[in-house]
Amino acid sequence: MTAPSTNTAKPATGIAALLKTAFTNALVALVLFSLMVGIRTEAGSSGQLTYWTRFGELASLVAVVFGGSIVIELLRQWIGPTGAERLVPPAVQSGMSLIGGYLTPALLIFTLLVPVIFYDQRYILDLAILVLTYVMLGWGLNVVVGLAGLLDLGYVAFYAVGAYSYGLLATNFGWSFWVCLPLAGILAAFWGVLLGFPVLRLRGDYLAIVTLAFGEIIRLVIINWQELTGGPNGVSGIPRPSFFGIPLDNSDDGFAAKFGIEYSPTHRIVFLFYLILALALLTNWVTIRLRRLPIGRAWEALREDEVACRALGINTTTTKLTAFATGAMFGGFAGAFFATRQGFISPESFTFQESALVLAIVVLGGMGSQLGVALAALAMIGGFELFRGLETYRMLVFGMAMVLIMIWRPRGLIGHRAPTVFLTKAQAISSDLVKEGHG
Amino acid sequence: MSGDKILSVDRLTMRFGGIVAVQDLSFAAERKKITALIGPNGAGKTTVFNCITGFYKPSGGTIRLTHDDGRVIALERLNDFRIAKQAKVARTFQNIRLFPGMTALENLMVAQHNALMRASGFTLLGLVGVPAYRDAEKRAIDLATDWLRRVNLLDRADDAAGNFAYGDQRRLEIARAMCTEPALLCLDEPAAGLNARESAALSELLLSIRDELGTSILLIEHDMSVVMEISDHIVVMDHGEKIAEGTPREVRDDPKVIAAYLGTDEDEAVAVMESGT
Ligand SMILES: Nc1ncnc2c1ncn2[C@@H]1O[C@H](COP(=O)(O)OP(=O)(O)O)[C@@H](O)[C@H]1O
Ligand SMILES: [Mg+2]
């Protein structure tokens, strides 16, 4: 491709340019924060407006922005936003791709062994289940955002539909988890299609905003439809999953008694772990297969160029709807799992923050890459736990880490697209060429 | 003009607010022939294409497509993807619209979407991997390979389309349109940006599409060497109206055509022409 020298040559490397950028950013921060931080207003004891100034804090904030700009700018020039891959010599790159080839099976084997290795560490097992839940959600949303290029900010709606489907069917009718699981997926897919119809005419920002609204609408309906959903109190007493009919408790016909082993509450955790792992792998398997089928290729083509798709006789509306419904179905499965794991669900679990988190996982992973999404879920959820010790500064450090990763790899951790069919040799396609979709 | 018409456009009008981009345009394209639509920039050629291929809904007039079996389809009533799917009209775009992040082969596979969807039992049979679908996919790959060979891109089958040189992208877009197995192929300035050698190769390709496959072609083109060499019939537009039509020879000698291209009025053009001959 292009010579590295042209790409590594950076504009505005001088100290003056650096200072200018930092100064501009500091100025913006000053204007922005002077009202937000510099002046503090509060209602006084008798309702009058009291205010006082906090110029010290303001000054330190502006200073942080000034310093931060310089650091980020230096980092940007050092690693380079797009030059990262080109700076790496080809030999190292091929070595990396070799590791990449072994990374997936190694990760899979490790994941399968997690309950064995960490059998006594309940905390790790719980965390692993949480990570896998987000891996599954990420893979589900990846169909919509990564493959079809439809920016969906309301994905949590389908997670909620799945969770409430299982919760309500199980508590009201006593249906088992294994009957409810497919139903939860089907119901979520159904809602995906229903919401999709009016929404998918819109493109880009409009689509994002309307899907965001739909996510909120579902949550508000759940809060307000007290008779059915229990409103803000949620649904409690949701049955735990059984080992194909055998309850995982210490009763006489429970799992431990049946198999003649000593009862331990860890059995259930381990079972839940393998359950979500199986669900996630199912999602992955189906997605990988779908990508190689005409429908999957049409999704990706849609992301690349919608007009060209129409000129080739592809029904873009149904193609978008199937992507929406497929993603929603996986979200529904994950929701049903969430409900059975928690035993209790309430609208608080399905806020916009969840949608944003799952979307962040997909974007960080590298849109469309299955391995990338899995790594991103691990990094986001695991990383967030890692910083738990930092307490108040946890969010700050975490946010900084995210920013740094996005500077380092603007197209996500795995920035390649693998072709779905090849004649002689499958070559990874550079993310510079792959479109992100706009609707 | 006599003979078997595949496409007849009758009094086609397209307005955008106050602008009349196409006015009362009537012409026909013969089956298994190459019909060219020429005219200066802004004449309304692309707009005509967009009406034929369903991207615009005409303000007035009719567009009829007659298939080999005698079936007549009113294109102005079909919309969007149905024209490509049911009426079998394929097109390329003036500013190439490939799927840049997909390989050349994948581009051609997407073009066979509808046939493959049917073979995959609308995904369900394909998901479980029935042999019938595998056969269909193999046939689709064969067709794509065949077209890659025809447009001389076989060795680049597994490269991303976005990495292709301009001329290669143009040829790949034609191959992609042909993979939909169209009855009528509409090409919007396929020679734009090509060098002389590539233009010549393009002419050859279009002639082979007409002669070997019997596909009818409707062609918008500025490159007169291509148009004059391969067209069976030429329709000339200016300011949204048809100003002339006929064989390449007839059109070349038409003073109105020369006037339109030179931007002069008729008398002057005649003078220019006469002094020239
Ligand atoms: N979508 C549109 N909205 C408004 N005007 C349009 C639109 N499409 C084409 N036009 C106008 O129609 C006229 C013909 O354009 P076009 O068909 O692209 O010409 P050509 O392809 O012959 O160069 C131009 O004046 C153009 O501005
Ligand atoms: Mg044009």
Side-chain angles (χ1 to χ4, degrees):
Chain A
M1 273 194 293
T2 34
S5 60
T6 56
N7 287 300
T8 46
K10 294 143 208 141
T13 33
I15 301 257
L18 198 71
L19 286 178
K20 195 176 155 215
T21 314
F23 187 73
T24 321
N25 289 348
L27 199 69
V28 171
L30 178 67
V31 173
L32 206 66
F33 290 130
S34 59
L35 286 178
M36 280 163 59
V37 177
I39 300 174
R40 171 92 182 151
T41 57
E42 222 164 72
S45 50
S46 55
Q48 86 281 23
L49 184 75
T50 61
Y51 69 93
W52 62 95
T53 55
R54 299 190 295 187
F55 291 133
E57 283 92 335
L58 180 63
S60 51
L61 258 177
V62 172
V64 165
V65 169
F66 186 79
S69 301
I70 292 179
V71 170
I72 287 185
E73 200 56 36
L74 281 174
L75 272 175
R76 201 203 289 279
Q77 290 178 7
W78 181 44
I79 334 181
T82 53
E85 271 165 277
R86 297 190 184 92
L87 285 175
V88 180
V92 178
Q93 249 183 29
S94 68
M96 272 162 72
S97 72
L98 204 68
I99 294 171
Y102 289 113
L103 188 58
T104 313
L107 262 179
L108 188 61
I109 291 169
F110 176 74
T111 314
L112 280 168
L113 292 179
V114 160
V116 180
I117 303 170
F118 302 106
Y119 188 79
D120 294 329
Q121 285 161 282
R122 171 83 193 256
Y123 169 72
I124 302 248
L125 286 183
D126 275 335
L127 183 61
I129 291 175
L130 192 67
V131 169
L132 282 175
T133 311
Y134 280 97
V135 169
M136 172 154 185
L137 284 172
W139 277 341
L141 184 62
N142 195 25
V143 171
V144 185
V145 180
L147 295 185
L150 304 166
L151 188 51
D152 180 358
L153 290 181
Y155 191 59
V156 76
F158 309 120
Y159 191 40
V161 168
Y164 272 85
S165 299
Y166 172 59
L168 294 175
L169 288 173
T171 51
N172 291 332
F173 303 111
W175 292 5
S176 90
F177 177 75
W178 298 102
V179 174
C180 293
L181 183 68
L183 279 178
I186 291 168
L187 280 171
F190 170 75
W191 279 99
V193 171
L194 217 63
L195 299 190
F197 253 117
V199 166
L200 292 178
R201 251 168 241 288
L202 306 169
R203 313 189 69 194
D205 309 347
Y206 300 99
L207 177 72
I209 288 170
V210 176
T211 51
L212 186 146
F214 268 125
E216 285 300 285
I217 288 171
I218 294 244
R219 194 172 63 87
L220 291 174
V221 166
I222 290 173
I223 290 179
N224 289 296
W225 197 350
Q226 298 252 0
E227 306 91 90
L228 183 71
T229 63
N233 299 329
V235 181
S236 53
I238 300 170
R240 300 319 187 99
S242 56
F243 185 77
F244 304 99
I246 307 167
L248 288 151
D249 54 18
N250 57 356
S251 63
D252 285 344
D253 51 358
F255 178 81
K258 276 255 162 81
F259 286 82
I261 47 176
E262 201 181 325
Y263 171 76
S264 152
T266 314
H267 291 164
R268 203 184 68 225
I269 307 296
V270 171
F271 177 70
L272 281 172
F273 177 88
Y274 283 117
L275 178 60
I276 185 65
L277 181 61
L279 285 175
L281 288 180
L282 176 78
T283 308
N284 186 34
W285 181 80
V286 171
T287 309
I288 288 176
R289 274 207 85 104
L290 284 177
R291 259 196 87 208
R292 296 188 185 141
L293 287 171
I295 187 72
R297 280 196 206 110
W299 289 340
E300 292 202 75
L302 202 64
R303 175 193 66 203
E304 297 281 313
D305 195 325
E306 189 175 340
V307 172
C309 281
R310 301 208 319 244
L312 295 173
I314 296 174
N315 185 341
T316 49
T317 312
T318 52
T319 306
K320 284 181 185 179
L321 277 179
T322 51
F324 228 61
T326 309
M329 182 181 72
F330 293 136
F333 288 153
F337 172 81
F338 177 76
T340 193
R341 176 176 108 105
Q342 300 292 94
F344 166 76
I345 47 174
S346 78
E348 271 164 50
S349 309
F350 308 106
T351 55
F352 169 67
Q353 211 184 336
E354 292 295 305
S355 294
L357 183 57
V358 179
L359 186 65
I361 287 172
V362 173
V363 173
L364 180 67
M367 307 230 281
S369 161
Q370 297 292 97
L371 176 62
V373 168
L375 291 177
L378 185 66
M380 295 276 284
I381 310 299
F384 203 56
E385 286 301 312
L386 214 62
F387 296 133
R388 191 177 276 283
L390 298 172
E391 291 171 14
T392 332
Y393 300 104
R394 183 172 164 202
M395 265 302 195
L396 193 69
V397 173
F398 185 67
M400 294 265 271
M402 289 285 108
V403 170
L404 287 181
I405 290 179
M406 286 328 273
I407 290 175
W408 174 49
R409 307 216 79 153
R411 298 298 297 252
L413 294 175
I414 306 280
H416 294 298
R417 177 183 172 270
T420 60
V421 59
F422 60 91
L423 221 48
T424 47
K425 186 170 166 290
Q427 312 169 351
I429 297 167
S430 156
S431 57
D432 302 344
L433 296 171
V434 180
K435 293 267 187 297
E436 287 159 345
H438 25 231
Chain B
M1 119 184 215
S2 63
D4 183 11
K5 297 183 181 95
I6 184 163
L7 180 81
S8 30
V9 174
D10 195 33
R11 308 204 56 174
L12 178 72
T13 301
M14 184 75 221
R15 275 185 289 269
F16 299 104
I19 305 170
V20 185
V22 178
Q23 172 124 31
D24 272 340
L25 178 77
S26 302
F27 71 93
E30 278 186 80
R31 193 177 308 282
K32 300 184 188 195
K33 292 278 162 65
I34 296 178
T35 307
L37 195 57
I38 66 170
N41 269 329
K45 307 179 296 293
T46 300
T47 307
V48 172
F49 261 37
N50 283 336
C51 290
I52 293 173
T53 52
F55 283 89
Y56 293 158
K57 199 137 199 81
S59 318
T62 58
I63 307 168
R64 294 280 175 276
L65 187 88
T66 314
H67 272 286
D68 285 350
D69 56 9
R71 208 157 37 102
V72 181
I73 300 176
L75 294 187
E76 78 277 6
R77 289 200 211 123
L78 282 184
N79 59 18
D80 205 354
F81 72 96
R82 286 191 188 83
I83 290 190
K85 189 179 175 183
Q86 290 161 13
K88 293 265 152 218
V89 177
R91 73 170 288 179
T92 64
F93 294 87
Q94 188 169 345
N95 31 20
I96 309 173
R97 282 181 170 272
L98 287 167
F99 306 121
M102 301 174 94
T103 66
L105 180 63
E106 282 181 305
N107 268 272
L108 302 195
M109 294 297 279
V110 173
Q112 303 175 60
H113 176 79
N114 288 315
L116 284 172
M117 269 312 255
R118 250 173 280 125
S120 74
F122 297 92
T123 304
L124 291 177
L125 295 178
L127 204 57
V128 292
V130 292
Y133 171 70
R134 295 223 197 107
D135 293 346
E137 188 176 39
K138 217 164 138 355
R139 261 177 284 130
I141 293 175
D142 287 344
L143 180 66
T145 311
D146 188 38
W147 272 105
L148 286 169
R149 191 177 299 118
R150 276 172 184 274
V151 298
N152 206 10
L153 289 171
L154 189 56
D155 52 334
R156 303 206 54 192
D158 298 324
D159 288 348
N163 270 337
F164 281 26
Y166 195 76
D168 293 349
Q169 293 202 3
R170 285 252 175 239
R171 288 205 311 285
L172 183 61
E173 203 189 14
I174 295 174
R176 189 180 66 179
M178 285 309 294
C179 277
T180 65
E181 310 201 286
L184 176 67
L185 175 67
C186 301
L187 303 170
D188 198 342
E189 302 200 13
L194 301 193
N195 60 34
R197 195 170 43 80
E198 288 173 324
S199 289
L202 176 77
S203 298
E204 223 166 277
L205 174 68
L206 297 187
L207 286 175
S208 83
I209 289 175
R210 180 193 67 182
D211 298 336
E212 288 167 29
L213 300 157
T215 308
S216 317
I217 297 177
L218 188 61
L219 172 74
I220 293 178
E221 192 43 76
H222 270 306
D223 186 334
M224 283 305 143
S225 69
V226 173
V227 172
M228 293 300 163
E229 187 189 334
I230 67 172
S231 306
D232 298 299
H233 188 77
I234 297 179
V235 177
V236 191
M237 288 181 72
D238 192 18
H239 297 298
E241 290 177 78
K242 181 170 81 180
I243 56 168
E245 72 176 312
T247 61
R249 182 182 299 276
E250 286 163 3
V251 165
R252 178 166 31 203
D253 296 341
D254 192 318
K256 277 190 297 223
V257 177
I258 295 163
Y261 269 93
L262 295 179
T264 53
D265 59 49
E266 226 169 284
D267 297 338
E268 262 180 74
V270 171
V272 169
M273 250 183 51
E274 276 167 358
S275 65
T277 45

